[in-house]
Amino acid sequence: MEYRKLGKSELQLSAITYGAFAIGGNMWGGNEEQDSIAAVHAAIDHGMTSIDTAPFYGFGRSEELIGAAIKGKDRSKIQLLTKFGLVWDGSNQGKGEYFFDANDGGRNIPVYKYASKANIIKELEQSLSRLGTDYVDLLQLHWPDATTPIDETMEALDTLISQGKIRAAGVSNYDLAQMKTAGKRIQLASNQLSYSMLNRGIEEDIIPYALEHHIGIIAYSPLERGLLTGKYFKDAALKADDHRNGYFGQFSADKVEAFLDRITPLAESKNASLGQLVLRWTTLQPGITVVLAGARNAAQVIQNARSMDIELSEQDIRFIHTALEEVYNGMNA
């Protein structure tokens, strides 16, 4: 595994970081507790010492499972990344910005974006309790909240750094203008953004800005939630309450399948799966600091970790880019 410095912070994160959205269960068709804990153990054992989660993932369940998994382990060798700013329990008392209704076991639960100073402090204390730790390595705003001034949110993060409760502060899903505003108040360690072979929009403005100002980029959904593994073109059924039933609809299935067919021989020549090839490509893109890879069980985690063993030449990368341009026709590029 390779470890990379996150922005100007002191954090060294694993290039492939374990993404813990799916083990929360909600929106992913449920989860198995023992499989989830085993997945976290496998991540740490195979060098994926950085773990990214959020209170919203399973309405606290993801953080609880991570807390159970790391209990008794050397905390100094694990980097915990969590978030704040999505409220679902009504404690915001009508404040904040309505986001969407989340389905949880057939129940629709209203979720709000809420990033006030008081809410951040409260959410962090809850996260620390669930994770079983007294600090988190990186605390990130989950989604921008238009009802709270950015300066107020950044002030809260700065305070938590000075108190030693977080080691570094980041954001997620911030556009360029929001990054610039936040940067006037605090040195951001990172911005966590959606990025994949099929979704490269941040290359236009955000990545150049991040490189210039030494801000790390954490790429999420590099596999487009499994679409780029190719298995969903081979009769891999999704459960009815899996959000990917709708998510995959934004892409041209025929073009994605044709693109994957084009690069499959390259993966095979590297003794790698499509998913491993895609992850390794993502880690090699300019400005991308670390890449999140989710997994429901230990076997998937190990496969993700081994993607770092793949060597891609400049010629290999050009081949992939040519296939994207010719087969996927530049969509989202």
Side-chain angles (χ1 to χ4, degrees), residues 271-284:
N271 294 315
S273 68
L274 277 171
Q276 289 174 319
L277 177 66
V278 171
L279 286 176
R280 186 60 175 134
W281 174 90
T282 312
T283 67
L284 294 171

Side-chain angles (χ1 to χ4, degrees), residues 214-260:
H214 306 286
I215 298 170
I217 296 293
I218 300 175
Y220 73 81
S221 294
L223 295 172
E224 290 300 353
R225 311 191 188 189
L227 184 65
L228 287 172
T229 65
K231 65 182 180 181
Y232 296 102
F233 297 106
K234 296 177 173 60
D235 301 321
L238 297 172
K239 292 184 178 180
D241 58 348
D242 193 314
H243 76 287
R244 290 174 294 178
N245 287 300
Y247 182 85
F248 289 164
Q250 68 184 290
F251 303 105
S252 168
D254 290 343
K255 289 183 178 181
V256 173
E257 186 173 17
F259 166 66
L260 294 178

Side-chain angles (χ1 to χ4, degrees), residues 39-212:
V40 176
H41 286 165
I44 296 169
D45 292 344
H46 288 80
M48 292 170 60
T49 57
S50 306
I51 303 169
D52 180 84
T53 184
F56 173 69
Y57 300 163
F59 303 112
R61 188 58 175 153
S62 176
E63 289 185 328
E64 289 171 349
L65 288 168
I66 291 166
I70 67 172
K71 187 175 182 180
K73 293 188 178 294
D74 187 344
R75 176 69 178 84
S76 67
K77 295 181 179 179
I78 300 168
Q79 302 82 49
L80 294 179
L81 290 55
T82 194
K83 306 179 186 76
F84 67 88
L86 291 188
V87 180
W88 67 88
D89 59 2
S91 62
N92 57 320
Q93 299 179 330
K95 299 177 181 178
E97 179 184 1
Y98 172 76
F99 194 12
F100 70 105
D101 278 4
N103 184 284
D104 182 44
R107 295 183 303 148
N108 285 327
I109 300 177
V111 178
Y112 286 78
K113 302 174 188 176
Y114 188 44
S116 72
K117 183 175 182 179
N119 184 65
I120 295 167
I121 294 169
K122 181 196 72 174
E123 281 201 63
L124 177 61
E125 291 302 323
Q126 293 172 338
S127 290
L128 292 174
S129 176
R130 287 189 288 256
L131 291 165
T133 186
D134 57 2
Y135 73 96
V136 297
D137 296 274
L138 179 69
L139 185 63
Q140 308 158 92
L141 171 63
H142 205 151
W143 282 90
D145 164 26
T147 70
T148 302
I150 289 176
D151 190 68
E152 178 181 342
T153 301
M154 297 305 121
E155 179 187 356
L157 290 170
D158 199 22
T159 298
L160 292 171
I161 290 174
S162 66
Q163 292 175 345
K165 292 187 177 182
I166 66 176
R167 293 180 62 196
V171 293
S172 186
N173 302 299
Y174 255 28
D175 62 24
L176 181 59
Q178 291 163 333
M179 290 177 70
K180 289 180 177 180
T181 301
K184 295 176 183 178
R185 183 64 176 79
I186 193 173
Q187 174 61 50
L188 290 176
S190 59
N191 190 0
Q192 184 176 141
L193 296 155
S194 177
Y195 178 80
S196 76
M197 289 179 170
L198 310 181
N199 175 22
R200 298 168 59 192
I202 64 172
E203 293 177 356
E204 296 177 9
D205 55 3
I206 290 180
I207 285 182
Y209 179 84
L211 286 169
E212 181 182 354

